[in-house]
């Protein structure tokens, strides 16, 4: 459906840990903005070994990174410090303002930036509005706050039409 296209990610992959970051760097991408909860770790979980290793590898490749979250500062700051990256809390996603601020902080522009998140109506829609290459990842855990559970229910028809549109291309 045409109405849903604004929510479609440019890319869909199972996990943030499966993205070919080396290849994307060769293509000219220099900055990655991540959501945290259910994108990198389960909702509310601290940074784990996989997240720490991912950010270390991205830094070694040459990326600038930042976590952009609608969560409160204590949650976002502790995660960001554990993985060694910059952060913006209470981001107000999908509003474009903090996507732009994130790019300013990491020194990139939309054409050289990637956004990785697990929610269509906040993460992906905001990245799309900002002109950033978006990656939708499958959520890591089942535990979520009620407002997110409701959004997941509303995302189902959008995901159905997104997947249907991808089948037509293949």
């Amino acid at each position: 459906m045409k109405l849903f296209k604004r929510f479609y990610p440019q890319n869909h992959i199972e996990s943030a840990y499966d993205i070919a970051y080396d290849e994307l760097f060769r293509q000219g991408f220099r900055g990655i903005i991540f959501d945290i909860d259910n994108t990198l770790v389960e909702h509310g979980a601290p940074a784990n070994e996989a997240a720490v290793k991912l950010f270390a590898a991205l830094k070694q490749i040459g990326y600038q990174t930042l976590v952009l979250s609608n969560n409160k500062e204590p949650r976002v700051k502790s995660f960001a410090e554990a993985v060694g990256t910059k952060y913006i809390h209470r981001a107000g996603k999908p509003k474009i303002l903090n996507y732009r601020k994130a790019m300013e902080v990491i020194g990139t522009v939309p054409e050289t930036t990637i956004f990785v998140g697990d929610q269509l109506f906040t993460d992906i829609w905001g990245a799309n509005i900002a002109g950033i290459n978006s990656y939708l990842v499958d959520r890591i855990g089942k535990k979520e706050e009620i407002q997110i559970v409701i959004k997941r229910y509303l995302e189902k028809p959008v995901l159905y039409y997104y997947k249907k549109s991808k089948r037509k291309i293949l």
Side-chain angles (χ1 to χ4, degrees):
M1 285 186 82
K2 227 176 194 181
L3 174 68
F4 292 157
K5 286 186 178 182
R6 73 184 79 188
F7 304 112
Y8 290 179
Q10 278 79 47
N11 307 278
H12 179 218
I13 193 162
E14 187 175 326
S15 170
Y17 300 96
D18 295 337
I19 296 171
Y21 295 107
D22 285 335
E23 177 58 31
L24 291 169
F25 193 84
R26 282 191 287 279
Q27 292 175 20
F29 291 98
R30 294 299 181 259
I32 308 173
I33 305 168
F34 288 95
D35 176 51
I36 299 172
D37 289 321
N38 274 331
T39 296
L40 294 167
V41 294
E42 288 188 19
H43 185 81
N48 58 22
E49 186 179 339
V52 171
K53 284 182 178 179
L54 173 63
F55 279 82
L58 294 173
K59 186 176 183 179
Q60 188 170 9
I61 292 169
Y63 281 109
Q64 294 296 312
T65 60
L66 183 140
V67 290
L68 182 70
S69 175
N70 286 348
N71 219 319
K72 295 176 183 170
E73 187 170 22
R75 163 73 177 133
V76 181
K77 181 180 181 181
S78 66
F79 186 91
E81 287 177 347
V83 299
T85 195
K86 299 168 182 87
Y87 69 93
I88 296 174
H89 67 286
R90 290 193 181 193
K93 295 179 289 181
K95 294 178 185 172
I96 193 171
L97 177 69
N98 282 315
Y99 288 86
R100 288 183 177 155
K101 183 177 177 184
M103 288 185 284
E104 185 179 310
V105 168
I106 62 175
T108 61
V109 295
E111 297 78 21
T112 62
T113 308
I114 299 162
F115 185 91
V116 182
D118 68 301
Q119 292 186 55
L120 291 176
F121 298 148
T122 52
D123 299 328
I124 302 305
W125 189 21
N128 290 347
I129 294 167
I132 299 170
N133 191 331
S134 59
Y135 274 78
L136 175 69
V137 296
D138 297 340
R139 67 180 170 163
I140 293 175
K142 299 284 185 200
K143 177 187 157 194
E144 295 181 307
E145 296 169 343
I146 187 65
Q147 72 271 17
I148 298 172
V149 171
I150 293 167
K151 282 190 238 174
R152 296 277 185 210
Y153 180 76
L154 296 171
E155 284 180 350
K156 286 182 181 184
V158 179
L159 285 170
Y160 169 81
Y161 285 104
Y162 168 73
K163 290 175 182 175
K164 187 176 175 182
S165 75
K166 289 298 179 190
R167 284 193 299 270
K168 286 180 184 177
I169 294 169
L170 302 174

